[in-house]
Amino acid sequence: MPTPIGHALGGIAAGVFIVRGTTTDVPVGARRIPVVLFFALLGLLPDIDFLLGGHRGVTHSVGATLTVGVLVAAVDRRPAVWLAAAAAYGSHVLLDWLGTDTIAPIGVMAFWPFDRTYYLSSYHWFLPVCRQYWLADCWFRVARAMWWELLLLAPPALAGLLLARRSRSVDTTPDD
Ligand SMILES: [Zn+2]
């Protein structure tokens, strides 16, 4: 499964490609936060189940992804933002599915609430994340996994950000 770096980049890439230049921030509670930070956090959010003792279950599913879209729709009127938020969250499920898992249950409960089966692709695009942090070799493997994720996910995230910036500058260019 990708590291938090990979998930944050995946969330940014998925979100900014959808909202493009339509907005630079979104409401969260009483505040507004930059869309880049919002999508990065949504890309990380499914792993919150790790704090609750489970991992890659209900929070790693199409049901949770749709729920995020509905919750964002309750606080923001722009359909592009709902869709982008769901895509940023759902990118986590996709990236975990494309990863390499070594801890049971193997995979993600991708189709909850319709199906509680865990799924994992056979592609293994992302390296396993070592959790034996007391071993020096573990840190080397984590660094290698992060570099690989940067190589794969930084280009689409940067492309999305450049596209968003370009869309905003076209929208703000005065007519001749
Ligand atoms: Zn995860």
Side-chain angles (χ1 to χ4, degrees):
M1 303 302 181
T3 67
I5 299 264
H7 282 307
L9 288 171
I12 291 168
V16 294
F17 261 108
I18 294 172
V19 293
R20 302 211 178 172
T22 59
T23 186
T24 56
D25 55 20
V26 291
V28 175
R31 311 181 72 172
R32 298 190 73 85
I33 66 169
V35 286
V36 173
L37 178 61
F38 182 63
F39 295 140
L41 291 174
L42 284 174
L44 295 169
L45 189 59
D47 278 344
I48 199 163
D49 64 353
F50 192 63
L51 302 175
L52 305 172
H55 198 42
R56 299 183 300 270
V58 167
T59 59
H60 290 62
S61 68
V62 67
T65 300
L66 292 174
T67 301
V68 165
V70 169
L71 289 175
V72 172
V75 295
D76 195 302
R77 293 182 179 176
R78 296 164 293 184
V81 175
W82 317 339
L83 191 60
Y89 187 96
S91 72
H92 184 114
V93 181
L94 176 66
L95 296 184
D96 271 358
W97 177 73
L98 287 167
T100 307
D101 199 356
T102 56
I103 300 171
I106 301 293
V108 290
M109 200 189 286
F111 296 106
W112 180 87
F114 310 106
D115 179 7
R116 297 184 75 88
T117 306
Y118 282 77
Y119 293 91
L120 185 70
S121 80
S122 57
Y123 302 118
H124 306 302
W125 281 7
F126 300 99
L127 302 171
V129 176
C130 172
R131 298 183 201 288
Q132 297 159 309
Y133 301 113
W134 57 92
L135 300 174
D137 180 58
C138 179
W139 288 98
F140 171 75
R141 284 186 277 159
V142 168
R144 190 176 59 177
M146 284 181 177
W147 276 113
W148 179 241
E149 291 164 16
L150 281 170
L151 205 65
L152 281 182
L153 297 168
L158 284 173
L161 290 170
L162 290 172
L163 192 66
R165 189 173 167 182
R166 190 168 171 211
S167 301
R168 275 198 303 276
S169 64
V170 167
D171 288 345
T172 56
T173 302
D175 295 335
D176 293 332

